[in-house]
Amino acid sequence: MPAPRTRPATVLVLATTLAVFGLGPAAAPAAAATVPVGSGSYSDTRPAGASGPTTNTGTPVIPKVTAAAQNRPVPTNDWWSSLAFQRYGDNPHSTPMYGHPLTYQATAGGLEVGYPTTPAVVGDGRQYEYAHKRDLTLGLTGLDSPDTKADDWSDWTVTPYWSDGSRTLRTTIGHGLPFVYAKGSGGDARITTATAPAVFADQGNVLGITVAGHHYALFAPTGSDWTVSGSTISAGLGAKDYFSLAVLPSTGALATYKKYAYSFVTGSTAEWSYTGGTVKATYTLTTEAKEGTERGTLQALYRHQWLHTTDALTPYTYVSPRGTMKVRESAAFTTGQKASAVLPALPEADGVDTARLRGHLNEVANAADPFSGYTDTYWTGKALGRLAQLVPVADQIGETATRDKLLGLIKGRLQEWFTAGGASEFSYDKDWRTLTGYPASYGSDTELNDHHFHYSYYVYAAAIVAQYDQSWAADSAWGGMVKTLVRDTANPSRTDTAFPFLRGFDVYAGHSWASGHQGFAAGNNQESSSESTNLSAALVLWGSATGDTSLRDLGTYLLTTESEAIAQYWFDADEQVFPSSFGHDTAGMVWGSGAAYATWWTANPEEIHGINVLPVTGGSLHLGGKKAAVRRNIAEMERENGGPAVEWRDILWEFQSFADPAVAKAKWDAGHAGYTPEQGESKAHTYHWLATLDTLGAPDATVTGDIPSSAVFTKGAVRTYAAHNYGATARTVTFSDGRTLSVPARSTATGTGSGGDPDPDPDPDPEPPSGNTFQLRSGGVLTTATGGTAGSDTVASAGGANHDGTPYQPLVYEVRNVNGTLTPGAATAFRLQLDAGTSVGLGQQARISFDLTGDGTFDRVETYHYFATDPVAGWEEYAQSRGLKSATGTLGDLTGGTVRLEVWSAIGNGTSRLQTGTDRSVLVIPYG
């Protein structure tokens, strides 16, 4: 068994209103030894001998913010936290901050700005990074500030502040912002470049320069004039106090960027909603016009965002550690995703041997010390999670005495922690507006690290208790303390003065950050993305069990968003993010500058792969959405490990079950007798998990239910629909393929129906009525007829060139004389089965065109993002869920019209096959 996680000071890789909850306090707690919350309490002073936030030398620190921000809770664990948390006492400014596409670092003279576009692979090939490298520094003439402070912030933007007594400078920077917006006084605008700039455009107050191969535009107020002297560029501001700069995707983009140069971003807000199985989120920038009336702007979307938006995007792109960023010309965009499934436990299945399971349950329930001697927040949390996993399992097989014993153990330990004055308690820090559990661990006290990891287990365990004992979970009982932990880690309120908004979750990056201070050259980091989603899933369960739909929906948004970020940035599911030079299929840690095949405490491949899987619960089902990535991940682990897992075999068996349940169960059957469970696991839970999925099949993300606590599993042609009803009356759950399931009150129910192979990546839309669905037939035919002979057509190679968006030697399938009435709100859909054989680096692309009247002119043309196939055995499914790359024209009724499908290789140097003659390769048009 590996040693417990340790978090060294250096990088191992290289070295809401309160009414939302109905709780007080409205501000920092009143001076009192104990703050009561329902039946529980927390302290407002740390236990004797305990520490709070400190520098690396142990000196206590308070937030480094301006007077204007002193009454606001500081959102620690962010991409810019080093502005406010001076972890290293000799750096009063900041460490590098990775906003993407730009990078930044505060210095005495102003803000360093860079745009890293070439990755470096370091640490024996175990880390890739687009490290910050200064292209230029934005400042004022003569500025020499002793420190830099956080002056203002919003959901993904921040305003650093400099003052030297004579000059002041404020800049606004953020995720996705190609601009830096500056306000200064006491000096001229000054840009100092790392090397002598090449000027490509001089329009007086607008200057285009190239530095280190990167193109920038500088914007001063109208009437000003930029002067270039060597590597120093300056402009007088006159009676104005503003100027800006932008990194350009090309010199030809100057005119477009100039349009928005004086529309200064002043804030950013993410809003989300959950309805009927779908999560929607809108990301909005607020702006003010410094000149003219333009209030729009440009913002660059990350891959996990543009994959799920239908909003128009420009042709402009940027390089980033998260793959290509695409530019939107608007102050807002909206994403939509099918919600990630969550269950309190896997449902009952016939394949589970109840006698064997009962024996394993008794091993845990009757242990001399079910908490294994753990006393700190993290390891106590792991033990709570381990017990909570088994409560619904015991209930399923009628072991009510064991269930109640486990519930009693969980309640007892939670109540100890939820009561101030004992050996374990939570303490509130009024300076940092945070709740810290003591005994602390892994810098959760001195660095404010990992609160979302630690507390996820407490909220999850409390949610399981609430499922069986609602009175215990009432605010007036112990639920108030649960909600206080939620306020610390995932507060949905922006007006709560006691805790910051979503402390660790970065709404724009799509995932959480673990470090409270962000004091690393590589930016902030997160290792265990799965412990982050454990908190989100716990919010879904807690909110469902207590009737708090706002928390339930928050958890659904966080889980659904982060699940895509994990797939793309930890597992490189589409093989479009990691640089080819990295040479790994998975990352143990994601950094602001890149990612690393590493953990904080070991280089053992089992832990590198497993740390982003554990704990495995009913909130982990999203991991089954990208089955090819799971298989690549397991294969890499075994290559790096020199064979199958030994230490964390249970975690990795469970991970494999998301793609290949029968294989995982066979590994359990062969090896379950002689292994020690991972500290947060038990043989009872692992056996129940593997035996259940072996019976029901892997999670099927192509179908969702209309409540968050629902899921679908597919084995062969049979789908199993599952849902848990937390309500006091029976209800019917409707699934996106039209199936319904009647679920009794406070119960889990299952039902079956015919389905498809869940092996491909998800395609979210159900089959529409026949008559709208066209099979592909060899010879270029689209037909509504069924019962064809299965075959395939060869997709020509891209020849090593890039044909993204432009058909190249395409396969063409067409149907003419089509009549149909456009269905309001409907959209084109397709499912195409592709097989790249053993070829790597291929990407197939589809374009669908509609000639509404058959006159030879296509009135609507839709081009979809290409699908990166894998060298895995069997067919992979390409669907419209990849998202629109571009669309021209509008749809209307078809009158003798023509519909055409084109499929070609957008990238790659090999051929592939496209399946024909089956109902698994189809085009669905939005017509009745």
Side-chain angles (χ1 to χ4, degrees), residues 534-572:
N534 190 45
L535 175 61
S536 304
L539 293 178
V540 175
L541 298 179
W542 173 264
S544 298
T546 62
D548 190 332
T549 56
S550 64
L551 276 186
R552 181 202 70 180
D553 294 353
L554 168 64
T556 305
Y557 162 68
L558 298 178
L559 177 63
T560 302
T561 303
E562 192 157 17
S563 68
E564 184 65 73
I566 292 167
Q568 298 300 330
Y569 310 142
W570 273 260
F571 298 153
D572 196 16

Side-chain angles (χ1 to χ4, degrees), residues 875-888:
W875 299 100
E876 298 176 81
E877 189 162 271
Y878 173 27
Q880 81 288 339
S881 56
R882 298 304 303 157
L884 272 173
K885 176 181 176 65
S886 64
T888 60

Side-chain angles (χ1 to χ4, degrees), residues 267-293:
S268 54
T269 305
E271 301 288 347
W272 57 85
S273 65
Y274 168 81
T275 305
T278 299
V279 172
K280 290 188 176 180
T282 299
Y283 301 85
T284 303
L285 294 172
T286 55
T287 63
E288 64 173 339
K290 293 295 185 182
E291 293 185 8
T293 60

Side-chain angles (χ1 to χ4, degrees), residues 673-856:
Y675 82 97
T676 301
E678 186 271 334
Q679 294 99 316
E681 261 296 341
S682 62
K683 287 189 176 180
H685 178 259
T686 302
Y687 169 67
H688 178 267
W689 185 274
L690 297 175
T692 300
L693 291 190
D694 184 43
T695 304
L696 304 182
D700 183 350
T702 68
V703 181
T704 58
D706 63 358
I707 61 171
S709 53
S710 59
V712 179
F713 307 87
T714 301
K715 184 173 184 178
V718 178
R719 282 187 175 133
T720 297
Y721 303 82
H724 186 85
N725 175 14
Y726 285 90
T729 58
R731 69 162 296 161
T732 297
V733 176
T734 301
F735 290 83
S736 59
D737 63 354
R739 298 281 176 173
T740 59
L741 180 66
S742 179
V743 190
R746 308 197 190 288
S747 301
T748 297
T750 59
T752 59
S754 61
D757 183 355
D759 181 60
D761 287 342
D763 51 287
D765 297 323
E767 291 285 359
S770 60
N772 297 18
T773 303
F774 293 85
Q775 278 191 14
L776 285 61
R777 298 287 174 86
S778 294
V781 174
L782 291 175
T783 177
T784 56
T786 58
T789 301
S792 66
D793 290 338
T794 299
V795 184
S797 167
N802 188 318
H803 303 289
D804 186 8
T806 304
Y808 175 74
Q809 299 182 9
L811 294 172
V812 180
Y813 302 87
E814 191 172 272
V815 59
R816 299 186 179 186
N817 298 316
V818 181
N819 298 306
T821 302
L822 182 63
T823 302
T828 307
F830 59 86
R831 296 181 177 87
L832 303 177
Q833 307 304 313
L834 293 162
D835 184 8
T838 59
S839 297
V840 297
L842 307 190
Q844 294 76 32
Q845 194 158 32
R847 183 168 80 177
I848 296 98
S849 304
F850 297 86
D851 173 358
L852 300 179
T853 60
D855 64 359

Side-chain angles (χ1 to χ4, degrees), residues 289-309:
K290 293 295 185 182
E291 293 185 8
T293 60
E294 179 60 62
R295 297 292 300 274
T297 191
L298 297 158
Q299 51 187 322
L301 280 62
Y302 284 116
R303 180 175 182 82
H304 76 275
Q305 296 169 324
W306 57 255
L307 281 174
H308 295 286
T309 188

